[in-house]
Every structure is written in structure tokens, then in C-alpha cells.
Amino acid sequence: MPDFGYKISKDRQINFDENSKNLFAEVAMREPSVYRCISCGTCAATCSAAQFTSYSLRKMILLLKRGEDKEVITSVSRCMLCGKCQLACPMGVNTRNLILSIQNAIKKLSHV
Amino acid sequence: MLQEGKKALWKEYQKEIADDRYFYVRSCVRQNFFPASETTFLRILTEELGKSVYEHPHHTSCSGVGYHSDVIPFETTMTMVARQFALMTESGFMNFVPSCITSFGLYTEVLETWHHFPEVEARIRETLRKATGREFEKPANLAHASDIIYKLRNEIADRAKYKLVNHNTGQPLRGVEHIGCHYAKMFPHKGVGGAEYPYVLVGMIESWGGEVVDYPERRHCCGFGFRQYLVKANRGYSVASSKKKFESMAPYKPDFILTNCPGCPYFLDRWQYAIAEMEGTTYGEDGMGIPVLTYEELAGLVLGYDPWDLGLQVHQVSVEPLLDKMGIPYNSSKKYLGKNGKFLGVPFKPAAIKVC
Amino acid sequence: MSKKVLIIGAGVAGLEASGVLSKLGYNVTIVEESDRIGGKLNRWSHLFPSRRPASEVLEHLQLNLDPNTVIITNSKITDIAVKDTSIEASLNTGKHIDADAVLISTGFELFDAKKKEEYGYQIYENVITSADLEKIFKEGKELTTSKGKAPKRIGIIHCVGSRDEKVGNTYCSKVCCVTGVKQAIEIKEHLSSCEVFNFYMDLRMYDRHFEDLYQEAQVKHHVQFIRGRLSEAFENPDGTVMVKVEDTLLGKPMKMNLDLVVLLVGMTAGNNSLFKKQLRLETGTDKFLVPADEHFKSVSSKQKGVFFAGACTGPKTIENTITEARAAALEIAGYLKN
Ligand SMILES: Cc1cc2nc3c(=O)[nH]c(=O)nc-3n(C[C@H](O)[C@H](O)[C@H](O)COP(=O)(O)OP(=O)(O)OC[C@H]3O[C@@H](n4cnc5c(N)ncnc54)[C@H](O)[C@@H]3O)c2cc1C
Ligand code: SF4
Ligand code: SF4
Ligand code: SF4
């Protein structure tokens, strides 16, 4: 291939139809309170991990719903399971179990 | 698609297009990219349809490329545009016809600016007078060259030697169209059919017997977009934009892509090669590309002009499959002969994309 | 002889005010330009937030009408003037009415979704409005795609014709967010396996029970709410519609194909030119009529003897319309006593 000096930029667009929503389905089955989330960001504002990395529980829930699994997988490892978000969440989302469920669901689906 | 609804909308976007006595201004780049398109426009208008067209030997670039790349201020651009109008006025013409879409957008933008800010127009008139001693009238009619071909599409159809029909099967050929961004996205009411469902190229394809395929990324930019392309580091997203379009249209197996801008056919044509090299993907049949044409080239084919006189041999994507489908004879041995009959040499044959 | 009130428009506002005014002893004449009374209630199936049938509300309003009320349908006011203490009106049928006070309760118009060209209403086969969806539900028809199939994925688009400078309506229509959530639930109740997405900029769940509907939609029906305004829609050759939005909470552009798109059309002002010209009434930048004082004279106009009720003074719910209609009836009674 000739050296063009540039590469085709990667598409940032979420292609909803092509993204699999299996991970989300698996997580929602384990922790249905994920449906209660209203994307308010209370969790991320106080999260210790979010202060120092680009991690946000609010965003991770959305990424999960859109099927952007790769980003979910890199995100979820940032959580320190301190439980502060659960204390803060106004909607009663069981965030600790949600995060554990995401980790377990990733493990389960990567075995399949 | 509910055709009734689309037609009702098209009715709201009809524009005045002059029917004779055109003052034609060329594009800076088209003669390099698609060398015979502008000549073909003149040939169709003057020889075929008996219209009068005048080109002024002293006309210059409209400066649109510089303006859109942020290197020329609008004041300068407006004065250059004023000078073009002065040439038109001096030549006794009133119907201004730019060949380039960006020029068309720019002339429209300048006229709109003057309409809303008459003091700016007065200032520019003064600047032009001081700098060159010239005075000007604003055009009575401003239409892009594709508007003119659109207006005359049925006259062209009446004289057609070939139709956009597969001569073996009798089925209409499937075309996808791509409108230059500066045609109607800035001023929807200045484009035939508006900005969301432009009719200018659709009308040609339909009149000449073809079928238009509406693909999902039709409205997406071709990838030229001055800033995207001019800086090498940005070219990755120029090619990515074109790729988005190819991926979107390819499933519908178009026989050709029709365009009305200098940049679009160039990028849609050449990037097919670059993508083939970089990713190994081709979008046409049997490892070939999808032929890309300007509206003048397509009109020329319909009228039976020799494909090599239309400059189709300088396209990256081979047009022969389209010629075969339309039943247009061509002499392969003459493909690379210059106007003077001298052999020009055969271009490099890439391995990544099949060419004839 | 008891005094006479002319009511223009027999929607919720006109009907409710008529009932109250009759009870207070006034003679009421209602002029309605369409062939039936009830206004938009005739078009809605079940009402937010309680999901009560619209027909039930209409029946209730009709029951409260006094048998002596004169209802003139299929008629338009062509001239109207305030003369001293009386109002004189002429109809296109040649009829003349005089009254001691007039209530304008002409309601609103639905935004014409064709103006959002990029959404393809009446161009794409599978793009309908919230009003069209109400009609389907009201007629008890099956909700299908243009090809007669059950849709598997539906998108509900908020703010169509509202909060949109480009179409000339910068205001919020107030009722469409909750209508969209209600319709999402109704769709899920009809077609439980259908995925439903609401594309919104802000969810304006301001009134009592509205937030509950939103939670019900999410938790019980798994409706997905995507924050981002529809940028453009495109019809795929198979008739499905590709939509482009930004998922603004993720900061990423997104595309998806939908089998059916429902546009939540906003409320726009009716044609008030006659009232403006002949009664010198004012309209706001939003083109709705402007009351004499936003707090204390919200159902009065600046013109003596002319009153307002309902959506003619801006988007509002039926509940608020009814409250206003009663307030207007009392305001008229107070005016006529003095
Ligand atoms: C899609 C949609 C769904 C909705 N669903 C609900 C819901 O579930 N619950 C809820 O609380 N609200 C709902 N609303 C709001 C509700 O429709 C309004 O609150 C209500 O219709 C206002 O009543 P109105 O009498 O002021 O106006 P309208 O209902 O518009 O009635 C006005 C009447 O006046 C007549 N008229 C107009 N101009 C003239 C004239 N010049 N001369 C004579 N007659 C005239 C009209 O023909 C009409 O009969 C919804 C709105 C929309 C857009
Ligand atoms: S549990 Fe994880 S997500 Fe929640 S606050 Fe702690 S670190 Fe953040
Ligand atoms: S605090 Fe709770 S509701 Fe808010 S974004 Fe976090 S998980 Fe969702
Ligand atoms: S109520 Fe909701 S959908 Fe309607 S205009 Fe307001 S924000 Fe938009």
C-alpha cells in the first residue's frame, strides 16, 4: 500500500442497530433497578474514581444501554466499590450490585 | 416514499432560471479534475440547443476556496465578486451562471448580504470603483450551471441517443445523486427542490430514463469540505466521510453516482481508490468502483458524445461498465489519445481496485 | 331579561364555561366553526395523566350544558365589535348575534409537521404524528407499519414544532412530553415486544402524576429515553426510517433504524387576525392571545366585555383549561353584575 500519510478516521457514531444489547439484558436481569436511573449524575459527582479518571457510572449505564460494550468493559474496572454512589443515588438504583453484575455478566458472556 | 408529499414540497422550492443569454464563469479546479465538463456544457448549450453563452476572458476565481479556508476575508471576496458582476454588466449580460457550486453559494451569500445590508453593498461598490474604475449591475438571474441543465433536461431528452436504461434488460439504470453542500444547504430556497430533497439532479436522471435510489446518507457531505481536505492531517476524515456514503449506498447497487459540484465527483471518484488501497474495500461490481459523473458528462453521454471527448478516461473509477449498460460504443484503443491524436500514455493500474 | 354571553369555540373551555354561566343564570350562545362540539377532545383517545377516556370528559361537559344553550356549528364569525356595553357579531351564514359579553375559547392548532422537512412527515411512509397515533388508538385500529406489519421498534420524537426558532415557535408546548410518555406506555401495552425510544431535550414532567408516568414507562415498560433532538430522518428503501441524533448525555452521535416514527407535534396559535383587527386584542411573540394581566386578569382581555379561556392564551392541559373556563365564567358574571 502506498503511504498516504493519513488513515481513514474511525467512526465515532453509535450504530445502535449493529451493537449487541446482550450485556445490558444480562445486567438488567441481575439488577432490574438499572431501569430506575434518570441520568442525573449524582453518583458520578461524588464518585472517587470519577475525580481522577474519565469514569462515570451515569455514562457507563448509558453505554451499556446503547450496546457500547467495549467502553463498558474498560470503564467498569475503574470502580473501587466504595459504595458512595449508592448512598447518593436519589432513585434507589442498587449501584454496588449493578457494578458487580456488570463484572459478572462480562465474565459470563466472554465465556460464551 | 410518498411521492405526492415529496412533489408538494418540491413545488415550494421552484426557482427562476433564465432560459437564454448566459454569462458563464468557470470553476478554478474543474478543468483539471474533469477536463471536458465545462466544454461539454458550452457544447450542449450552444451547438445542441442554440443558446447564447458568453465567457469573459478576464474573469477570475471567485475566491471561494480562499474564503472557505479562512485565508481571504469576506470584504475581499465581495469585491472580487463585484468585479465579476462588472464584467457581466460590461458585456451586456444579466444572467449569471457559475460552473462551481461553491461559487454559486458564494455569489448567493454575497447577494443576500447586500440585500440585508445595503450599506455593505455601497461600500463594496465604492471599493471596486476606486480599485478598478468599474461599476456593475447585480445579475437579474443567478443560477448554477446544473440548474440550467435541469431546466433544459427535457430538450436534452428529446435529442437523446442513449437512455439511462440497461439496453440488455430494458430496466432503468439506478443512480444515486449527491448535491454539493453549497448548492442549497446555506440557502434552501435557492436550490431546485430545496435542501432536504433537492430535485435538480433527480429531475435529470428521471427525464433521461433512469431511476433514483435514495440512500440513507444522501445528505452527508462528500468529504471535500475545504478544511477537511486542504490540510493533510485532516484528510483522514475527508476519506471517512466519503466512506460513510459508499457504505450507505453500496447495498442498493447503484450503476452510477451523479454530482453537481467540483469537489464531490473528484473525491467520490478518487477516494474509492484510496479506500481500496487502505482497507481493501471496493463498492462496485466485481472489484470495481461505482462510476462517478458530473451532470455535463451524463448529459453528454445521453446526447451520444464520444466518451473520450467527455474526458471520462481521466476518472479513477472506470466508466466502461456504465457505457456497456447504456449500450454506448467506445473504442478502447483511442482511450488515451489526446485531442491532437497523440498517445498520452496509460496510467498506473492499481491492484486494489479493478480498472479497465 | 337575563344577560347574554357569546362563546366562540366549543372546545373544553367553551363547553365548561357555558355550563357554569348557564347555572349562574345567563343566556349562552356558542358559535363553533367545525361541525361538532368538543374541540380536540374528539381527537384524543385516552387522556394523561390518569388515562381516562377522552369521551368520558366530553360526555361530562355535554351533560353540564343547559338545554337552552344555543349552539351554532359550522359557522364562522366574520365581524365582531364592542359597542358601548354590548357585543355585536355577524356570522358567515348571515346571522347576527348580540350579547353583553364574549368569551373567546378558540383553542389552538396543531403544528404542521410538514414544516420540519427533514423529518419527512407525509413524505416517508412510516412517519406519523402524535395526533395520528391518537386517531389510531381511538378507532381501535391495529398499530402497524405502512406495510401492515407490527412495528418492532418505534421512536417518539419530542418538541416537533416547539422550542424551535427555525419554525418560528420558541416556546414549549407543555403537553407533548407527557403525551409522549403516555403514548410510549400505550404502545408497550399494545405491542409488548416492541422497543420504544423517546428522543427528548428535556423531559418536562411538571405536573402532578407526570413523573410517575415517566418512571412507569422506564421501570415497567423499559421504554428508553435518549436525550437528543432528532436531527434528521431518512427513509431506507425498505420503508424503515434511519434517524440521527446526538446522545447528548454520552456526547456521541448515534443512528438507528426505526419501523415507525411518532412526531409529538406542538400547539400553535389559531388564526387571531379578526380579533386583533376588530377587537384590537394583542398577541404575543408566540402568536397566542395575551390576557390583561398575567396574574390577576389571566382570563380577561384589555378590551371591555371580552374574556379568554383555554389554549387560546397558550399551551395548557385540559385540567388547566377547565379551571380557567370556570374562572372566566365567574369573571364574566362579575363584569355583568356591575
Ligand atoms: C397530541 C395532544 C394530546 C393531548 N392530550 C391531552 C391529554 O391527554 N390530557 C390533557 O389534559 N390535555 C391534552 N392535550 C391538551 C388539550 O388538547 C387542550 O388542553 C385542550 O384541547 C384545550 O381546550 P380548548 O377548548 O382551549 O381548545 P380546543 O380543544 O382547541 O377547542 C377549540 C374549539 O374552538 C373552535 N374554534 C377555533 N377557532 C374558532 C373560531 N374562530 N370560531 C369558532 N370556533 C372556533 C375549534 O373548532 C374547537 O372546537 C393534548 C394536546 C395535544 C396536542
Ligand atoms: S462504588 Fe464505584 S462507582 Fe460508586 S462511588 Fe464508589 S467508586 Fe464510584
Ligand atoms: S445517581 Fe442514580 S439515578 Fe442518578 S445517574 Fe447515578 S445511578 Fe442514575
Ligand atoms: S412539553 Fe416537552 S416535548 Fe413539548 S415542547 Fe415542551 S419540552 Fe418539548
Side-chain angles (χ1 to χ4, degrees):
Chain A
M1 183 184 95
D3 179 16
F4 288 91
Y6 49 89
K7 289 201 189 81
I8 303 178
S9 304
K10 262 182 63 192
D11 204 331
R12 288 183 70 240
Q13 190 180 44
I14 300 173
N15 190 335
F16 193 85
D17 296 15
E18 281 185 6
N19 284 359
S20 151
K21 261 65 85 200
N22 291 346
L23 185 61
F24 175 66
E26 185 69 31
V27 171
M29 199 179 65
R30 291 160 188 249
E31 189 42 67
S33 73
V34 65
Y35 287 116
R36 303 186 53 81
C37 175
I38 55 172
S39 289
C40 66
T42 315
C43 49
T46 182
C47 165
S48 21
Q51 312 301 314
F52 308 106
T53 68
S54 60
Y55 172 71
S56 152
L57 176 55
R58 173 190 67 76
K59 267 195 181 174
M60 188 167 66
I61 293 172
L62 288 172
L63 290 167
L64 192 63
K65 287 183 176 172
R66 309 289 179 257
E68 297 281 283
D69 294 0
K70 271 200 198 116
E71 280 190 62
V72 174
I73 293 165
T74 52
S75 267
V76 71
S77 62
R78 304 253 166 82
C79 165
M80 300 178 233
L81 279 178
C82 70
K84 177 69 197 193
C85 50
Q86 188 150 351
L87 194 68
C89 174
M91 296 307 293
V93 176
N94 187 345
T95 57
R96 271 176 64 89
N97 191 47
L98 174 65
I99 291 157
L100 290 171
S101 304
I102 294 173
Q103 287 173 336
N104 290 334
I106 291 170
K107 271 187 219 135
K108 181 181 158 188
L109 293 183
S110 63
H111 284 305
V112 180
Chain B
M1 198 74 70
L2 307 170
Q3 291 303 330
E4 290 304 299
K6 214 186 213 180
K7 280 179 190 146
L9 186 71
W10 282 336
K11 277 214 188 87
E12 289 178 28
Y13 292 98
Q14 287 309 317
K15 71 182 227 187
E16 199 61 46
I17 303 169
D19 61 7
D20 202 354
R21 296 194 50 78
Y22 306 114
F23 184 82
Y24 186 52
V25 283
R26 296 206 181 210
S27 146
C28 307
V29 293
R30 294 188 78 210
Q31 288 168 84
N32 294 326
F33 291 179
F34 298 93
S37 284
E38 292 180 337
T39 314
T40 303
F41 178 74
L42 296 173
R43 178 173 169 195
I44 294 172
L45 258 58
T46 55
E47 290 174 25
E48 205 77 47
L49 303 170
K51 304 287 179 189
S52 85
V53 187
Y54 184 67
E55 278 193 275
H56 201 292
H58 293 151
H59 92 67
T60 62
S61 159
C62 71
S63 81
V65 177
Y67 171 56
H68 284 285
S69 321
D70 268 2
V71 295
I72 294 183
F74 194 43
E75 291 282 321
T76 312
T77 289
M78 284 192 288
T79 314
M80 301 208 31
V81 165
R83 185 179 164 279
Q84 314 276 61
F85 290 161
L87 298 181
M88 173 194 77
T89 310
E90 289 160 17
S91 318
F93 282 79
M94 292 170 80
N95 302 325
F96 199 86
V97 181
S99 158
C100 168
I101 283 286
T102 290
S103 291
F104 172 71
L106 193 75
Y107 290 119
T108 308
E109 187 175 341
V110 171
L111 288 174
E112 287 288 303
T113 305
W114 292 351
H115 176 72
H116 292 286
F117 304 95
E119 69 281 7
V120 176
E121 178 182 337
R123 197 171 68 231
I124 298 295
R125 280 184 185 277
E126 185 55 23
T127 313
L128 181 73
R129 206 181 47 75
K130 277 189 190 148
T132 66
R134 289 181 193 285
E135 310 270 346
F136 67 93
E137 299 283 326
K138 286 186 277 185
N141 186 266
L142 172 66
H144 183 250
S146 64
D147 292 331
I148 310 291
I149 297 290
Y150 163 80
K151 189 180 175 85
L152 303 171
R153 68 196 185 285
N154 293 325
E155 276 93 321
I156 293 171
D158 292 343
R159 292 162 175 77
K161 300 237 164 43
Y162 302 97
K163 296 236 140 184
L164 295 177
V165 169
N166 187 319
H167 83 121
N168 289 320
T169 64
Q171 290 296 313
L173 294 178
R174 292 155 68 80
V176 296
E177 39 98 38
H178 173 80
I179 302 287
C181 292
H182 295 162
Y183 177 68
K185 279 180 185 161
M186 299 188 292
F187 300 97
H189 281 278
K190 306 292 179 193
V192 176
E196 303 293 353
Y197 309 88
Y199 187 63
V200 61
L201 296 178
V202 173
M204 293 180 206
I205 297 176
E206 286 176 354
S207 293
W208 302 338
E211 185 183 290
V212 178
V213 189
D214 232 348
Y215 59 109
E217 294 288 1
R218 171 170 60 70
R219 292 176 190 138
H220 193 81
C221 169
C222 69
F224 182 18
F226 303 80
R227 291 157 199 242
Q228 290 179 47
Y229 184 72
L230 292 173
V231 179
K232 188 172 178 183
N234 291 348
R235 285 182 199 160
Y237 78 82
S238 169
V239 64
S241 278
S242 305
K243 182 180 153 189
K244 209 180 214 357
K245 292 184 76 76
F246 297 136
E247 304 264 320
S248 170
M249 67 176 75
Y252 309 111
K253 301 197 184 332
D255 297 303
F256 63 94
I257 301 172
L258 184 61
T259 59
N260 70 344
C261 175
C264 315
Y266 192 66
F267 284 80
L268 292 173
D269 184 58
R270 281 18 170 216
W271 277 150
Q272 291 195 60
Y273 157 71
I275 295 170
E277 286 284 8
M278 292 184 192
E279 296 192 335
T281 317
T282 49
Y283 298 98
E285 295 155 73
D286 312 323
M288 301 193 71
I290 307 169
V292 188
L293 299 176
T294 69
Y295 55 94
E296 297 104 325
E297 289 169 345
L298 190 67
L301 287 181
V302 165
L303 288 167
Y305 298 176
D306 185 278
W308 311 144
D309 285 346
L310 292 172
L312 301 185
Q313 63 276 55
V314 307
H315 287 213
Q316 175 67 59
V317 174
S318 300
V319 292
E320 282 86 343
L322 177 66
L323 304 180
D324 292 341
K325 285 176 199 165
M326 288 174 74
I328 297 178
Y330 52 91
N331 186 340
S332 298
S333 64
K334 292 200 169 148
K335 185 169 178 181
Y336 296 111
L337 297 187
K339 266 291 190 202
N340 54 7
K342 255 173 75 180
F343 181 61
L344 300 171
V346 179
F348 157 77
K349 259 198 180 179
I353 186 165
K354 207 167 126 194
V355 294
C356 295
Chain C
M1 223 187 82
S2 57
K3 294 200 167 166
K4 292 176 287 190
V5 180
L6 166 64
I7 295 180
I8 307 175
V12 178
L15 295 178
E16 177 66 14
S18 168
V20 179
L21 285 164
S22 299
K23 275 195 201 123
L24 293 171
Y26 297 101
N27 279 336
V28 177
T29 302
I30 311 181
V31 175
E32 164 60 47
E33 73 180 7
S34 75
D35 61 352
R36 65 177 72 176
I37 62 168
K40 305 293 184 300
L41 270 183
N42 291 301
R43 303 177 62 169
W44 312 153
S45 174
H46 288 78
L47 303 177
F48 66 75
S50 65
R51 320 266 309 275
R52 181 184 197 174
S55 55
E56 208 178 288
V57 176
L58 184 52
E59 272 163 40
H60 194 277
L61 290 167
Q62 278 171 309
L63 275 178
N64 273 352
L65 281 181
D66 189 273
N68 293 320
T69 304
V70 181
I71 301 177
I72 309 170
T73 53
N74 288 319
S75 299
K76 259 190 139 119
I77 310 266
T78 52
D79 285 290
I80 185 160
V82 181
K83 299 232 164 94
D84 234 358
T85 55
S86 76
I87 314 278
E88 285 173 24
S90 318
L91 305 188
N92 59 343
T93 53
K95 214 174 151 63
H96 295 280
I97 300 172
D98 60 280
D100 301 293
V102 59
L103 175 67
I104 298 179
S105 50
T106 47
F108 67 99
E109 300 280 339
L110 287 168
F111 173 72
D112 176 7
K114 290 201 294 294
K115 288 192 183 148
K116 289 299 289 176
E117 293 170 14
E118 61 275 35
Y119 294 180
Y121 182 60
Q122 290 185 0
I123 292 181
Y124 304 154
E125 289 172 24
N126 289 301
V127 176
I128 63 173
T129 66
S130 43
D132 298 334
L133 184 60
E134 286 296 319
K135 185 162 187 269
I136 293 169
F137 286 145
K138 195 165 183 90
E139 291 173 354
K141 287 204 184 124
E142 201 87 41
L143 179 59
T144 64
T145 66
S146 60
K147 298 209 165 71
K149 291 212 187 94
K152 290 204 194 70
R153 192 185 279 169
I154 298 180
I156 298 179
I157 314 299
H158 289 233
C159 299
V160 177
S162 310
R163 306 175 69 192
D164 185 341
E165 180 110 27
K166 197 171 133 193
V167 299
N169 302 334
T170 50
Y171 55 88
C172 163
S173 291
K174 276 167 82 176
V175 299
C176 16
C177 267
V178 60
T179 298
V181 172
K182 181 205 70 162
Q183 292 187 334
I185 294 173
E186 289 170 329
I187 291 169
K188 290 296 282 189
E189 285 172 352
H190 280 83
L191 303 161
S192 60
S193 63
C194 177
E195 287 182 281
V196 180
F197 299 86
N198 282 55
F199 297 93
Y200 70 99
M201 294 199 289
D202 301 284
L203 275 180
R204 301 200 160 165
M205 298 286 129
Y206 62 96
D207 221 342
R208 200 170 177 199
H209 307 305
F210 289 9
E211 189 73 14
D212 298 341
L213 271 186
Y214 163 44
Q215 273 298 312
E216 180 188 337
Q218 278 209 144
V219 178
K220 186 166 166 203
H221 299 287
H222 302 173
V223 173
Q224 289 209 45
F225 289 84
I226 297 178
R227 184 163 169 272
R229 188 181 186 118
L230 177 62
S231 176
E232 59 175 342
F234 221 97
E235 188 178 80
N236 294 309
D238 67 357
T240 59
V241 183
M242 181 191 84
V243 293
K244 282 189 184 176
V245 295
E246 188 195 15
D247 188 331
T248 59
L249 294 174
L250 283 176
K252 280 189 182 188
M254 171 156 81
K255 70 168 175 189
M256 67 162 83
N257 287 321
L258 296 165
D259 295 332
L260 192 66
V261 175
V262 180
L263 306 176
L264 292 170
V265 282
M267 293 164 96
T268 61
N271 183 353
N272 290 314
S273 55
L274 184 82
F275 302 139
K276 279 175 82 165
K277 212 163 119 202
Q278 301 195 355
L279 295 176
R280 289 183 302 283
L281 299 182
E282 284 170 26
T283 51
T285 50
D286 57 8
K287 303 186 192 74
F288 286 96
L289 291 163
V290 178
D293 182 286
E294 66 190 276
H295 295 119
F296 302 107
K297 288 191 175 300
S298 59
V299 291
S300 307
S301 75
K302 284 192 180 149
Q303 178 66 257
K304 200 176 66 172
V306 180
F307 299 85
F308 299 137
C312 63
T313 52
K316 49 184 71 91
T317 62
I318 290 170
E319 194 185 318
N320 292 350
T321 299
I322 290 175
T323 310
E324 266 196 15
R326 293 178 173 198
L330 290 185
E331 197 72 26
I332 291 169
Y335 166 77
L336 294 178
K337 286 251 158 58
N338 293 326

